[in-house]
Amino acid sequence: MKLYYTPGACSLAPHIVAREAGLPVTLVKVDLAKHLTETGENFRAINPKGYVPAIALQDGSLLTEAAAIIQYLADQQPGTGLAPANGTTERYRLIEWLTFISSEIHKGFGPLWNPSTPDATKAATKDRLATRFAYLDEVLGKQPFLMGETFTIADAYLFTVVNWTNFHAIDISSFKNLSAFMARVAERPKVQEALVAEGLKQAA
């Protein structure tokens, strides 16, 4: 499988999940500004949506969207516990979290990436994110991970998007439980490997 990624983007979530699941993937870096892969291919010809992540499967087809990709990867290695079994109530709880992260956190950062966004809109965006962080902080005050005691793909996705606070000078230190979660996930060996591979941190 080939994973098309941009360092630190939402593609970090499937990158982490692939490593946690022990699945071999070939990383292909994408310059989203130029829409070119590191080998000079037109990325829009590969993924007409024009954004990462995208993963080329062994049958030659392409799968896109972070929430779909990380479920697919987890289901390749069901024994890892990265996702509950399909059809169970717990699986729907996982999908509930993935939907929340996608719509309320991931897309919630959207206006902050646009340099032309008015300051008032950016301030309102940060206030809205803070309400979501407060909710997460409450949940994570009761359990170490979103689904309870076990790290799942939802945690990989949440870690990836909350990490964007570092790009936008958003201080989350007042959210003690969320901050502790971020540190806890960052310490996982496979997460460390992914961060180093994407050039987001130095190798130890």
Side-chain angles (χ1 to χ4, degrees), residues 90 97 140 142-152 155:
E90 285 302 293
W97 274 121
L140 293 167
K142 302 170 185 174
Q143 55 202 43
F145 300 109
L146 293 177
M147 294 287 290
E149 298 297 318
T150 304
F151 176 88
T152 68
D155 301 299

Side-chain angles (χ1 to χ4, degrees), residues 20 42 44 86 90 93-95 97 104 148 159 170 181:
E20 290 277 355
N42 177 2
R44 286 193 183 278
N86 279 304
E90 285 302 293
R93 294 293 184 195
L94 177 72
I95 294 171
W97 274 121
E104 300 300 322
F159 172 82
I170 298 174
F181 165 85

Side-chain angles (χ1 to χ4, degrees), residues 60-122:
S61 64
L62 192 77
L63 185 63
T64 63
E65 305 301 334
I69 293 171
I70 57 180
Q71 289 185 79
Y72 173 83
L73 293 173
D75 287 341
Q76 304 311 298
Q77 297 280 42
T80 61
L82 287 167
N86 279 304
T88 63
T89 301
E90 285 302 293
R91 182 57 173 248
Y92 294 111
R93 294 293 184 195
L94 177 72
I95 294 171
E96 181 182 20
W97 274 121
L98 296 178
T99 304
F100 174 81
I101 296 165
S102 176
S103 62
E104 300 300 322
I105 312 294
H106 184 167
K107 287 302 180 185
F109 273 92
L112 302 180
W113 296 109
N114 188 343
S116 65
T117 299
D119 289 342
T121 302
K122 288 184 177 181

Side-chain angles (χ1 to χ4, degrees), residues 10 28-29 34 41 46 49 55 63 88-89 104 114 129 134 148 155 165 168 186 192:
C10 54
V28 182
K29 189 175 178 180
K34 297 178 180 177
E41 294 176 279
I46 297 167
K49 292 177 178 177
I55 192 163
L63 185 63
T88 63
T89 301
E104 300 300 322
N114 188 343
L129 283 169
D155 301 299
T165 56
H168 299 290
Q192 289 280 310

Side-chain angles (χ1 to χ4, degrees), residues 3 5 11-20 25 27 193-194 197-198:
L3 174 62
Y5 81 103
S11 48
L12 176 60
H15 185 181
I16 289 171
V17 170
R19 289 179 182 272
E20 290 277 355
V25 294
L27 297 174
E193 286 180 13
E198 294 197 11

